Structure formats: structure tokens, C-alpha cells
Amino acid sequence: MSAIKNKVQLIGNLGNDPEIINLESGKMLAKFTIATNESYKNNKGERVTDTQWHNVVAWGKTAEIIEKYVTKGKEVAIEGKLTSRSYETKEGEKRYITEVVCSELLMLGK
């Protein structure tokens, strides 16, 4: 287990079309969210679905593939690492965000 330091694997559906950003340096960035669902039965025996949303970013060749082939609603499997960062809004408020930096992408379904 010592080789696994910061690894995330998720299978889910895109909530929106990816946002593609071409940086001045020539690098490409893809930003998107995926939803993962977990179902269970509550105390009354009713089926409950819990949806979690995950922020994902991808760079370079992975971003290029996402731009060409991945759209809202598509099911994907991603692998990457968790990162956290902060930024300041135009109003001066400090915000924090945790996102998955995608290193592998597998398109699932049709």
C-alpha cells in the first residue's frame, strides 16, 4: 500500500459539456463535473439514491480527447489524484475547491 499515495478512481456521468480552455502557453485545459450515484435502502425499506458531484480537470492530450469526444451525460471512468486550492473572488472572498486532476480517461457506454 505504500505505493498508493493519492489515487482516485471514479465512474460517473458528466453534468455539463466540458469547459475547454486554451492557455497562452499552448496548453489545453478541460474542466467538468461528474456525478456518481450510490443507492441504498433506508429504515422504511425505500430505495434512496445519493448523488455526489466531483470537479475534474484534465490537461494536454487528455483534454484534447475530452474536447473531441466527451459531452454532457456521457458515462466516463477517470483516474487521477485529489488536489485542493484556494482562490479569491472579485469581491475579495476567499474560496476553496477540491478537484480531481485526471490522468486517465475511459469512455463508457454508447
Side-chain angles (χ1 to χ4, degrees):
M1 283 295 229
S2 63
I4 301 174
K5 303 271 187 225
N6 182 356
K7 184 176 180 178
V8 176
Q9 294 178 321
L10 298 170
I11 296 175
N13 296 85
L14 269 76
N16 289 307
D17 287 333
E19 176 185 355
I20 305 298
I21 301 168
N22 291 296
L23 302 174
E24 289 179 16
S25 65
K27 288 186 177 181
M28 182 181 281
L29 169 65
K31 297 168 88 174
F32 57 97
T33 58
I34 65 170
T36 56
N37 296 311
E38 183 177 355
S39 296
Y40 61 92
K41 289 189 177 180
N42 64 14
N43 295 343
K44 298 176 185 174
E46 302 165 331
R47 187 174 186 83
V48 177
T49 301
D50 179 39
T51 302
Q52 296 290 318
W53 288 94
H54 310 276
N55 296 309
V56 182
V57 296
W59 294 90
K61 293 284 186 195
T62 306
E64 291 174 24
I65 291 167
I66 291 166
E67 178 185 36
K68 290 180 185 175
Y69 302 108
V70 180
T71 57
K72 178 181 178 177
K74 295 280 186 182
E75 185 178 28
V76 294
I78 64 163
E79 182 174 294
K81 64 180 182 176
L82 277 181
T83 60
S84 296
R85 61 184 174 86
S86 63
Y87 64 95
E88 206 168 284
T89 65
K90 292 176 184 175
E91 295 78 29
E93 297 174 1
K94 194 160 191 172
R95 299 277 171 90
Y96 299 90
I97 187 168
T98 299
E99 53 199 5
V100 178
V101 178
C102 177
S103 57
E104 300 277 335
L105 174 89
L106 180 62
M107 292 173 278
L108 304 173
K110 297 178 182 179

